[in-house]
Amino acid sequence: MGARLQAVGLEKEYGAAMAVDGVDLDARPGEFVSLLGPSGCGKTTSLRLIAGLERPDAGRITIDGRDVTDVPPQRRGLGMVFQQYALFPNLNAYENIAFALRVRRLPKAEVERRVAELLAVVHLEDAAGRYPHQLSGGMQQRVALARALAAEPPLLLLDEPLSALDAAIRDELRTELRRLQRALELTVIYVTHDQAEAMAISDRIVVMERGKVNQVGSPQELYDRPATRFAAGFIGASNRRLTTVELVAGHPTIRWGDARLPIARNGPLPPGSTVMAAWRPEAATLTDAGNAASALHGRIELITFLGPITRLDVRVPGDDEPVLVDLVSTAAAHLQTGQSVAVSIPPDAIRIYA
Amino acid sequence: MAVLARQPAGARRWGQIVRAVLIAAVVLYLVLPLFSTVLFSLATAWSKTVLPEGYTLNAYRESFADPQIVRGIQRSLTATLATLLVGLALVVPALLYVHLRAPHFKRWLEFLAIVPWALPGVVLALAVIRTYISPYNVSRPAVLVLTYTLVSLPFMFRAIDAALSAVDLRTLVEAAQTLGAGWGEIGRRVILPNIAAGMLSASLLVAALASGEYVIARLLGGTGWKTFALYQAEAQFTDGRVAAALAVLGFGFTWVVSMALIAVAGRRGQAGPVMNK
């Protein structure tokens, strides 16, 4: 069973820059938590603080209630997988996996049993005798994963483990990692800059920006209700514009190009205030051009077939860039480039950020 | 290939002949003196004939029978070994520190390591005598070893630095830490095995340098602590054949060291790049 990880008020300064600035984390036992953000947002530093590879300037870290802030990494009992695998080049796959067990001076039979088990878990039974340079990137990362799991850590830390791999292997390993995490009920902290990867694999995502936690939520929550401009821009595709709120017949609207779109009335939105409006491409529908006064009227500039969905780039008068509209491909089959369309967006699908 | 294919067969053959002649000339130039020295060290008499009149191992026997020369060999080996130990003890920890904790210091280390090499041996030896021997009467062999260490720093530094740079040592150490290894285990299981080849090449280079060095040994060791190279030079004035035998022995030692170095470097080359960057 995985451990509970709690971090409170973590801070780490490099020179004049705050790499981590007051980060709180709480991962429940068996939970898969991703730290997501662009490079330099402090996600890797946070992970290194948890691992004990860096010392925080402020804040505390506890694992199952035990304060480990001042415990050196070798005594935290965690597993860690690095972006560049970090396999020991002088040891073959078997010995790499056995490393943690040998350090703990386990009996030979126990080491053999455990390594054989782990080689089977990562499907590398035939590669036990091969050295890191004789293994592909994907195989090296499997060995690194098995090595990190050898001592049965209650908490597994992964620092962009898939980013150096080809797309196909990345998907395969991601699925395997998730399956393994579920089976072992491991608590996992996973660092990535790839929002699609974080969405696919996590129970919860911690979005980070400039050393701070921006938003925490399930993939679904983050996708449906990004709480900040940053989260709205970072997660999934969206149409975003800086615009102003105007009251039309008592109802709040926003200007979008030359058109006005009604928005839901949630929270105080003083007329005239500048806001960022965002909506997902799949939230829009095409309506009959005649009876849609509040829709965006425009011309299809580009049709991109993406398999199950088809993406339209629609040029709207007065708007600087085309809006994106995702339709189920069967519903978009009859559309043609240059065609005039009316794009209707439900008011409650438009999110407004002050 | 296409260009070669268009060349007429005659031109191609000419090219091959010119190449063969050039290579043969270079080999002759390099090998002939050595071959002559070996022959001379084995000759009974060699004055009126193209090849020696007879062959004997007397010069070698005499060399090994002379207790002074044997002592010279012992001293050279002692100085070499001591230089290696001091050099490794200085360079390995310094480079580990720089690679693991302070990469920005590497430029300074590189600069410092090259300084002694930029100074002519005579200048270096006189400076060391003035600083340590004249005022404080520090033991000459000790100063000789320390000077050899200084001179061999660039070799030590480069070879071990190359080994350290070939692996991402910092991440490897961190990986070992997260796997529960303390510093003792990390040194034994991670650091040493990964820089052993570098340490070995450094040691072989330094051994080749220190074992046959003359200028510094002459100025620092002087008559009180003569090394092999000094006896070798002296022998030229007493018995040419013994001098030739000693030269062959010195060359043999350097050759063995060089071959060992090539073998080690070759094996390391086969192991290949170990981290996918």
Side-chain angles (χ1 to χ4, degrees):
Chain A
M1 187 66 182
R4 177 170 193 171
L5 168 83
Q6 288 171 296
V8 182
L10 288 186
E11 283 181 19
K12 181 72 185 173
E13 196 174 332
Y14 288 126
M18 285 298 279
V20 172
D21 191 358
V23 165
D24 296 335
L25 293 171
D26 187 356
R28 292 184 281 270
E31 196 178 22
F32 198 118
V33 176
S34 289
L35 306 185
L36 171 69
S39 62
C41 72
K43 54 191 190 299
T44 292
T45 307
S46 300
L47 195 78
R48 291 174 61 82
L49 291 173
I50 297 167
L53 298 173
E54 306 276 352
R55 283 185 61 84
D57 298 329
R60 308 305 297 175
I61 298 164
T62 60
I63 295 171
D64 276 341
R66 181 173 77 110
D67 191 327
V68 296
T69 317
D70 301 316
V71 176
Q74 58 268 33
R75 280 197 256 124
R76 291 198 184 189
L78 312 178
M80 181 152 176
V81 177
F82 296 80
Q83 185 176 3
Q84 295 294 346
Y85 327 131
L87 294 180
F88 304 120
N90 54 308
L91 303 178
N92 61 24
Y94 184 99
E95 285 300 327
N96 261 287
I97 298 172
F99 188 91
L101 308 173
R102 298 217 191 281
V103 165
R104 284 166 177 75
R105 309 207 187 288
L106 291 190
K108 204 175 157 212
E110 173 72 7
V111 173
E112 278 173 13
R113 186 190 63 75
R114 184 87 186 112
V115 176
E117 199 178 286
L118 283 160
L119 281 167
V121 165
V122 295
H123 313 301
L124 283 176
E125 295 97 326
D126 299 335
R130 281 152 77 175
Y131 283 85
H133 73 273
Q134 297 167 324
L135 299 169
S136 70
M139 290 164 103
Q140 288 191 57
Q141 200 55 300
R142 282 166 197 271
V143 174
L145 183 61
R147 181 180 71 171
L149 292 174
E152 300 179 331
L155 180 62
L156 183 64
L157 309 175
L158 299 112
D159 185 9
E160 308 227 16
L162 308 180
S163 62
L165 302 173
D166 297 339
I169 296 169
R170 199 160 55 214
D171 289 352
E172 184 191 316
L173 255 181
R174 187 177 69 195
T175 312
E176 231 171 272
L177 181 62
R178 181 63 157 155
R179 182 182 55 74
L180 208 61
Q181 180 261 338
R182 285 252 166 88
L184 302 174
E185 296 179 8
L186 271 173
T187 310
V188 167
I189 309 292
Y190 187 95
V191 162
T192 180
H193 65 273
D194 183 339
Q195 52 97 15
E197 189 173 283
M199 301 286 262
I201 203 170
S202 319
D203 293 316
R204 239 163 11 120
I205 298 174
V206 177
V207 180
M208 293 188 66
E209 184 200 11
R210 290 187 199 163
K212 293 183 191 316
V213 172
N214 187 286
Q215 187 179 359
V216 182
S218 70
Q220 184 87 47
E221 280 165 1
L222 284 178
Y223 190 79
D224 290 344
R225 294 183 295 281
T228 62
R229 284 187 188 192
F230 177 78
F234 198 73
I235 293 166
S238 61
N239 294 294
R240 285 172 293 140
R241 301 287 186 277
L242 279 176
T243 180
T244 47
V245 178
E246 292 166 28
L247 282 181
V248 174
H251 293 287
T253 64
I254 51 162
R255 185 166 281 284
W256 196 287
D258 295 339
R260 279 212 183 84
L261 294 175
I263 56 172
R265 188 194 293 273
N266 42 8
L269 290 170
S273 56
T274 301
V275 294
M276 175 179 275
W279 49 276
R280 299 279 182 207
E282 69 273 18
T285 49
L286 297 190
T287 57
D288 291 337
N291 60 10
S294 62
L296 297 174
H297 295 266
R299 202 172 284 279
I300 299 176
E301 198 172 76
L302 186 68
I303 300 175
T304 312
F305 177 69
L306 299 169
I309 61 160
T310 294
R311 173 162 292 178
L312 310 179
D313 287 34
V314 178
R315 177 65 69 177
V316 174
D319 196 7
D320 293 337
E321 39 183 320
V323 295
L324 306 178
V325 177
D326 286 350
L327 301 176
V328 176
S329 288
T330 47
H334 65 284
L335 296 171
Q336 285 177 344
T337 313
Q339 190 178 333
S340 290
V341 287
V343 179
S344 168
I345 307 113
D348 57 2
I350 302 176
R351 300 195 62 80
I352 303 293
Y353 302 95
Chain B
M1 286 305 282
V3 176
L4 273 181
R6 275 202 301 275
Q7 279 183 340
R12 223 167 38 232
R13 203 163 41 243
W14 257 114
Q16 282 169 353
I17 291 169
V18 169
R19 212 176 313 151
V21 168
L22 278 175
I23 290 172
V26 170
V27 168
L28 267 183
Y29 177 74
L30 292 175
V31 170
L32 207 56
L34 192 66
F35 185 64
S36 312
T37 310
V38 173
L39 278 188
F40 188 59
S41 72
L42 294 169
T44 49
W46 191 8
S47 48
K48 298 175 195 145
T49 49
V50 176
L51 287 173
E53 289 162 32
Y55 297 96
T56 171
L57 284 170
N58 269 346
Y60 291 89
R61 262 186 229 115
E62 277 174 38
S63 304
F64 285 114
D66 185 341
Q68 282 196 318
I69 290 180
V70 173
R71 204 175 306 134
I73 293 174
Q74 284 168 350
R75 282 174 183 159
S76 281
L77 288 177
T78 309
T80 304
L81 205 66
T83 303
L84 282 179
L85 291 178
V86 177
L88 288 173
L90 275 178
V91 172
V92 172
L95 268 173
L96 281 179
Y97 182 78
V98 162
H99 274 262
L100 290 176
R101 295 257 186 269
H104 51 281
F105 278 144
K106 198 174 147 189
R107 294 181 297 140
W108 291 102
L109 266 196
E110 261 176 45
F111 173 73
L112 286 175
I114 215 83
V115 169
W117 192 239
L119 295 174
V122 178
V123 175
L124 190 67
L126 288 177
V128 169
I129 289 172
R130 292 216 156 185
T131 314
Y132 298 109
I133 298 180
S134 301
Y136 306 113
N137 205 19
V138 179
S139 140
R140 281 173 175 261
V143 175
L144 179 67
V145 165
L146 291 178
T147 311
Y148 278 169
T149 307
L150 272 180
V151 174
S152 60
L153 270 182
F155 300 106
M156 274 278 176
F157 180 85
R158 295 271 164 216
I160 296 171
D161 182 50
L164 282 170
S165 303
V167 292
D168 182 355
L169 192 73
R170 202 167 163 169
T171 314
L172 291 184
V173 167
E174 288 180 349
Q177 283 181 313
T178 62
L179 291 166
W183 279 105
E185 297 269 5
I186 291 173
R188 196 162 60 84
R189 291 177 189 267
V190 179
I191 296 176
L192 264 184
N194 281 302
I195 63 166
M199 282 168 63
L200 196 54
S201 353
S203 303
L204 294 173
L205 276 169
V206 172
L209 176 98
S211 59
E213 200 284 330
Y214 177 81
V215 175
I216 297 171
R218 174 85 184 76
L219 289 167
L220 285 181
T223 49
W225 211 74
K226 285 190 196 168
T227 59
F228 175 71
L230 265 61
Y231 284 114
Q232 198 183 337
E234 275 178 12
Q236 288 180 43
F237 303 108
T238 53
D239 187 338
R241 287 192 186 80
V242 171
L246 292 181
V248 171
L249 287 176
F251 176 79
F253 178 76
T254 313
W255 187 79
V256 168
V257 166
S258 306
M259 286 302 116
L261 185 67
I262 289 166
V264 168
R267 222 179 42 213
R268 200 175 46 170
Q270 273 170 20
V274 272
M275 299 280 290
N276 286 3
K277 290 266 173 183

mmCIF file of all heavy atoms in Angstrom, chain A residues 260-287:
data_model
loop_
_atom_site.group_PDB
_atom_site.id
_atom_site.type_symbol
_atom_site.label_atom_id
_atom_site.label_comp_id
_atom_site.label_asym_id
_atom_site.label_seq_id
_atom_site.Cartn_x
_atom_site.Cartn_y
_atom_site.Cartn_z
ATOM 1 N N ARG A 260 -21.394 39.853 -30.512
ATOM 2 C CA ARG A 260 -21.539 39.808 -29.058
ATOM 3 C C ARG A 260 -22.024 38.438 -28.674
ATOM 4 O O ARG A 260 -22.923 37.893 -29.298
ATOM 5 C CB ARG A 260 -22.573 40.835 -28.601
ATOM 6 C CG ARG A 260 -22.000 42.210 -28.506
ATOM 7 C CD ARG A 260 -22.675 42.987 -27.397
ATOM 8 N NE ARG A 260 -22.134 44.341 -27.378
ATOM 9 C CZ ARG A 260 -22.573 45.308 -28.161
ATOM 10 N NH1 ARG A 260 -23.586 45.084 -28.980
ATOM 11 N NH2 ARG A 260 -22.013 46.493 -28.121
ATOM 12 N N LEU A 261 -21.449 37.882 -27.621
ATOM 13 C CA LEU A 261 -21.876 36.565 -27.154
ATOM 14 C C LEU A 261 -22.425 36.697 -25.746
ATOM 15 O O LEU A 261 -21.777 37.292 -24.878
ATOM 16 C CB LEU A 261 -20.687 35.600 -27.131
ATOM 17 C CG LEU A 261 -20.056 35.226 -28.475
ATOM 18 C CD1 LEU A 261 -18.816 34.354 -28.247
ATOM 19 C CD2 LEU A 261 -21.061 34.472 -29.345
ATOM 20 N N PRO A 262 -23.612 36.158 -25.481
ATOM 21 C CA PRO A 262 -24.125 36.193 -24.106
ATOM 22 C C PRO A 262 -23.329 35.236 -23.228
ATOM 23 O O PRO A 262 -22.906 34.168 -23.685
ATOM 24 C CB PRO A 262 -25.573 35.711 -24.263
ATOM 25 C CG PRO A 262 -25.632 34.995 -25.561
ATOM 26 C CD PRO A 262 -24.539 35.515 -26.428
ATOM 27 N N ILE A 263 -23.107 35.659 -22.009
ATOM 28 C CA ILE A 263 -22.386 34.779 -21.074
ATOM 29 C C ILE A 263 -23.253 34.555 -19.844
ATOM 30 O O ILE A 263 -24.182 35.330 -19.580
ATOM 31 C CB ILE A 263 -21.016 35.372 -20.656
ATOM 32 C CG1 ILE A 263 -21.193 36.774 -20.045
ATOM 33 C CG2 ILE A 263 -20.073 35.411 -21.840
ATOM 34 C CD1 ILE A 263 -19.920 37.333 -19.447
ATOM 35 N N ALA A 264 -22.949 33.480 -19.112
ATOM 36 C CA ALA A 264 -23.720 33.193 -17.902
ATOM 37 C C ALA A 264 -23.357 34.218 -16.844
ATOM 38 O O ALA A 264 -22.231 34.728 -16.808
ATOM 39 C CB ALA A 264 -23.400 31.787 -17.426
ATOM 40 N N ARG A 265 -24.341 34.509 -15.978
ATOM 41 C CA ARG A 265 -24.099 35.508 -14.946
ATOM 42 C C ARG A 265 -23.579 34.780 -13.706
ATOM 43 O O ARG A 265 -24.338 34.261 -12.915
ATOM 44 C CB ARG A 265 -25.413 36.212 -14.621
ATOM 45 C CG ARG A 265 -25.282 37.411 -13.708
ATOM 46 C CD ARG A 265 -26.647 37.787 -13.203
ATOM 47 N NE ARG A 265 -27.510 38.278 -14.291
ATOM 48 C CZ ARG A 265 -27.540 39.554 -14.691
ATOM 49 N NH1 ARG A 265 -26.782 40.449 -14.104
ATOM 50 N NH2 ARG A 265 -28.361 39.936 -15.640
ATOM 51 N N ASN A 266 -22.290 34.656 -13.603
ATOM 52 C CA ASN A 266 -21.751 34.068 -12.363
ATOM 53 C C ASN A 266 -20.635 34.971 -11.837
ATOM 54 O O ASN A 266 -19.625 35.178 -12.473
ATOM 55 C CB ASN A 266 -21.260 32.625 -12.555
ATOM 56 C CG ASN A 266 -20.500 32.442 -13.850
ATOM 57 O OD1 ASN A 266 -20.224 33.426 -14.526
ATOM 58 N ND2 ASN A 266 -20.164 31.219 -14.180
ATOM 59 N N GLY A 267 -20.904 35.494 -10.671
ATOM 60 C CA GLY A 267 -19.932 36.380 -10.048
ATOM 61 C C GLY A 267 -20.100 37.803 -10.546
ATOM 62 O O GLY A 267 -20.765 38.053 -11.558
ATOM 63 N N PRO A 268 -19.516 38.740 -9.839
ATOM 64 C CA PRO A 268 -19.651 40.140 -10.225
ATOM 65 C C PRO A 268 -18.792 40.440 -11.458
ATOM 66 O O PRO A 268 -17.589 40.199 -11.451
ATOM 67 C CB PRO A 268 -19.140 40.885 -8.987
ATOM 68 C CG PRO A 268 -18.261 39.921 -8.280
ATOM 69 C CD PRO A 268 -18.680 38.541 -8.661
ATOM 70 N N LEU A 269 -19.421 40.892 -12.491
ATOM 71 C CA LEU A 269 -18.693 41.260 -13.700
ATOM 72 C C LEU A 269 -19.100 42.683 -14.076
ATOM 73 O O LEU A 269 -20.042 42.881 -14.837
ATOM 74 C CB LEU A 269 -19.039 40.311 -14.845
ATOM 75 C CG LEU A 269 -18.527 38.888 -14.733
ATOM 76 C CD1 LEU A 269 -19.154 38.015 -15.801
ATOM 77 C CD2 LEU A 269 -17.020 38.858 -14.850
ATOM 78 N N PRO A 270 -18.416 43.657 -13.542
ATOM 79 C CA PRO A 270 -18.812 45.032 -13.825
ATOM 80 C C PRO A 270 -18.714 45.322 -15.318
ATOM 81 O O PRO A 270 -17.709 44.951 -15.951
ATOM 82 C CB PRO A 270 -17.806 45.876 -13.030
ATOM 83 C CG PRO A 270 -16.686 44.963 -12.719
ATOM 84 C CD PRO A 270 -17.238 43.579 -12.695
ATOM 85 N N PRO A 271 -19.734 45.921 -15.883
ATOM 86 C CA PRO A 271 -19.692 46.261 -17.296
ATOM 87 C C PRO A 271 -18.470 47.115 -17.607
ATOM 88 O O PRO A 271 -18.095 47.975 -16.799
ATOM 89 C CB PRO A 271 -20.982 47.046 -17.513
ATOM 90 C CG PRO A 271 -21.877 46.621 -16.396
ATOM 91 C CD PRO A 271 -21.003 46.307 -15.239
ATOM 92 N N GLY A 272 -17.865 46.857 -18.726
ATOM 93 C CA GLY A 272 -16.684 47.627 -19.118
ATOM 94 C C GLY A 272 -15.385 47.004 -18.658
ATOM 95 O O GLY A 272 -14.306 47.408 -19.095
ATOM 96 N N SER A 273 -15.462 45.987 -17.773
ATOM 97 C CA SER A 273 -14.212 45.412 -17.279
ATOM 98 C C SER A 273 -13.575 44.526 -18.354
ATOM 99 O O SER A 273 -14.258 43.867 -19.133
ATOM 100 C CB SER A 273 -14.470 44.592 -16.011
ATOM 101 O OG SER A 273 -15.437 43.604 -16.275
ATOM 102 N N THR A 274 -12.239 44.554 -18.363
ATOM 103 C CA THR A 274 -11.505 43.722 -19.324
ATOM 104 C C THR A 274 -11.294 42.345 -18.708
ATOM 105 O O THR A 274 -10.848 42.242 -17.558
ATOM 106 C CB THR A 274 -10.151 44.361 -19.651
ATOM 107 O OG1 THR A 274 -10.405 45.658 -20.180
ATOM 108 C CG2 THR A 274 -9.395 43.541 -20.686
ATOM 109 N N VAL A 275 -11.643 41.331 -19.472
ATOM 110 C CA VAL A 275 -11.525 39.956 -18.964
ATOM 111 C C VAL A 275 -10.923 39.069 -20.056
ATOM 112 O O VAL A 275 -10.778 39.495 -21.196
ATOM 113 C CB VAL A 275 -12.914 39.381 -18.599
ATOM 114 C CG1 VAL A 275 -13.530 40.125 -17.423
ATOM 115 C CG2 VAL A 275 -13.847 39.413 -19.805
ATOM 116 N N MET A 276 -10.584 37.845 -19.643
ATOM 117 C CA MET A 276 -10.258 36.866 -20.672
ATOM 118 C C MET A 276 -11.414 35.879 -20.774
ATOM 119 O O MET A 276 -11.869 35.353 -19.758
ATOM 120 C CB MET A 276 -8.977 36.114 -20.347
ATOM 121 C CG MET A 276 -8.727 35.018 -21.388
ATOM 122 S SD MET A 276 -7.242 34.107 -21.084
ATOM 123 C CE MET A 276 -6.095 35.189 -21.905
ATOM 124 N N ALA A 277 -11.886 35.682 -21.990
ATOM 125 C CA ALA A 277 -12.961 34.726 -22.210
ATOM 126 C C ALA A 277 -12.377 33.508 -22.900
ATOM 127 O O ALA A 277 -11.491 33.635 -23.752
ATOM 128 C CB ALA A 277 -14.041 35.342 -23.081
ATOM 129 N N ALA A 278 -12.831 32.319 -22.499
ATOM 130 C CA ALA A 278 -12.305 31.091 -23.106
ATOM 131 C C ALA A 278 -13.410 30.061 -23.250
ATOM 132 O O ALA A 278 -14.264 29.941 -22.369
ATOM 133 C CB ALA A 278 -11.172 30.536 -22.240
ATOM 134 N N TRP A 279 -13.420 29.368 -24.359
ATOM 135 C CA TRP A 279 -14.343 28.237 -24.524
ATOM 136 C C TRP A 279 -13.676 27.146 -25.338
ATOM 137 O O TRP A 279 -12.806 27.386 -26.167
ATOM 138 C CB TRP A 279 -15.678 28.678 -25.137
ATOM 139 C CG TRP A 279 -15.575 29.551 -26.372
ATOM 140 C CD1 TRP A 279 -15.392 30.907 -26.394
ATOM 141 C CD2 TRP A 279 -15.636 29.141 -27.750
ATOM 142 N NE1 TRP A 279 -15.340 31.381 -27.681
ATOM 143 C CE2 TRP A 279 -15.506 30.309 -28.541
ATOM 144 C CE3 TRP A 279 -15.822 27.922 -28.389
ATOM 145 C CZ2 TRP A 279 -15.535 30.279 -29.945
ATOM 146 C CZ3 TRP A 279 -15.852 27.896 -29.785
ATOM 147 C CH2 TRP A 279 -15.710 29.065 -30.544
ATOM 148 N N ARG A 280 -14.103 25.894 -25.058
ATOM 149 C CA ARG A 280 -13.507 24.735 -25.716
ATOM 150 C C ARG A 280 -14.070 24.592 -27.132
ATOM 151 O O ARG A 280 -15.270 24.806 -27.342
ATOM 152 C CB ARG A 280 -13.833 23.459 -24.938
ATOM 153 C CG ARG A 280 -13.306 23.441 -23.512
ATOM 154 C CD ARG A 280 -11.853 23.052 -23.468
ATOM 155 N NE ARG A 280 -11.349 22.982 -22.104
ATOM 156 C CZ ARG A 280 -10.080 23.172 -21.793
ATOM 157 N NH1 ARG A 280 -9.195 23.454 -22.732
ATOM 158 N NH2 ARG A 280 -9.680 23.084 -20.549
ATOM 159 N N PRO A 281 -13.250 24.162 -28.075
ATOM 160 C CA PRO A 281 -13.730 23.998 -29.461
ATOM 161 C C PRO A 281 -14.925 23.047 -29.561
ATOM 162 O O PRO A 281 -15.791 23.221 -30.407
ATOM 163 C CB PRO A 281 -12.522 23.422 -30.187
ATOM 164 C CG PRO A 281 -11.353 23.836 -29.379
ATOM 165 C CD PRO A 281 -11.803 23.894 -27.959
ATOM 166 N N GLU A 282 -14.966 22.032 -28.657
ATOM 167 C CA GLU A 282 -16.051 21.047 -28.785
ATOM 168 C C GLU A 282 -17.342 21.533 -28.121
ATOM 169 O O GLU A 282 -18.381 20.881 -28.221
ATOM 170 C CB GLU A 282 -15.641 19.694 -28.198
ATOM 171 C CG GLU A 282 -15.490 19.656 -26.683
ATOM 172 C CD GLU A 282 -14.096 20.061 -26.217
ATOM 173 O OE1 GLU A 282 -13.376 20.680 -27.028
ATOM 174 O OE2 GLU A 282 -13.756 19.771 -25.062
ATOM 175 N N ALA A 283 -17.298 22.699 -27.432
ATOM 176 C CA ALA A 283 -18.504 23.223 -26.786
ATOM 177 C C ALA A 283 -19.430 23.888 -27.811
ATOM 178 O O ALA A 283 -20.617 24.080 -27.564
ATOM 179 C CB ALA A 283 -18.126 24.224 -25.704
ATOM 180 N N ALA A 284 -18.870 24.238 -28.973
ATOM 181 C CA ALA A 284 -19.649 24.975 -29.975
ATOM 182 C C ALA A 284 -20.416 24.028 -30.888
ATOM 183 O O ALA A 284 -20.052 22.870 -31.061
ATOM 184 C CB ALA A 284 -18.708 25.835 -30.802
ATOM 185 N N THR A 285 -21.511 24.535 -31.430
ATOM 186 C CA THR A 285 -22.250 23.779 -32.444
ATOM 187 C C THR A 285 -22.494 24.712 -33.622
ATOM 188 O O THR A 285 -22.428 25.935 -33.472
ATOM 189 C CB THR A 285 -23.605 23.295 -31.905
ATOM 190 O OG1 THR A 285 -24.268 24.410 -31.287
ATOM 191 C CG2 THR A 285 -23.444 22.172 -30.898
ATOM 192 N N LEU A 286 -22.780 24.128 -34.787
ATOM 193 C CA LEU A 286 -23.164 24.959 -35.938
ATOM 194 C C LEU A 286 -24.684 25.074 -35.935
ATOM 195 O O LEU A 286 -25.383 24.089 -35.703
ATOM 196 C CB LEU A 286 -22.690 24.314 -37.240
ATOM 197 C CG LEU A 286 -21.177 24.170 -37.413
ATOM 198 C CD1 LEU A 286 -20.843 23.740 -38.841
ATOM 199 C CD2 LEU A 286 -20.443 25.469 -37.082
ATOM 200 N N THR A 287 -25.181 26.276 -36.132
ATOM 201 C CA THR A 287 -26.631 26.465 -36.166
ATOM 202 C C THR A 287 -27.012 27.036 -37.527
ATOM 203 O O THR A 287 -26.145 27.438 -38.319
ATOM 204 C CB THR A 287 -27.092 27.446 -35.069
ATOM 205 O OG1 THR A 287 -26.383 28.659 -35.260
ATOM 206 C CG2 THR A 287 -26.843 26.886 -33.701
#
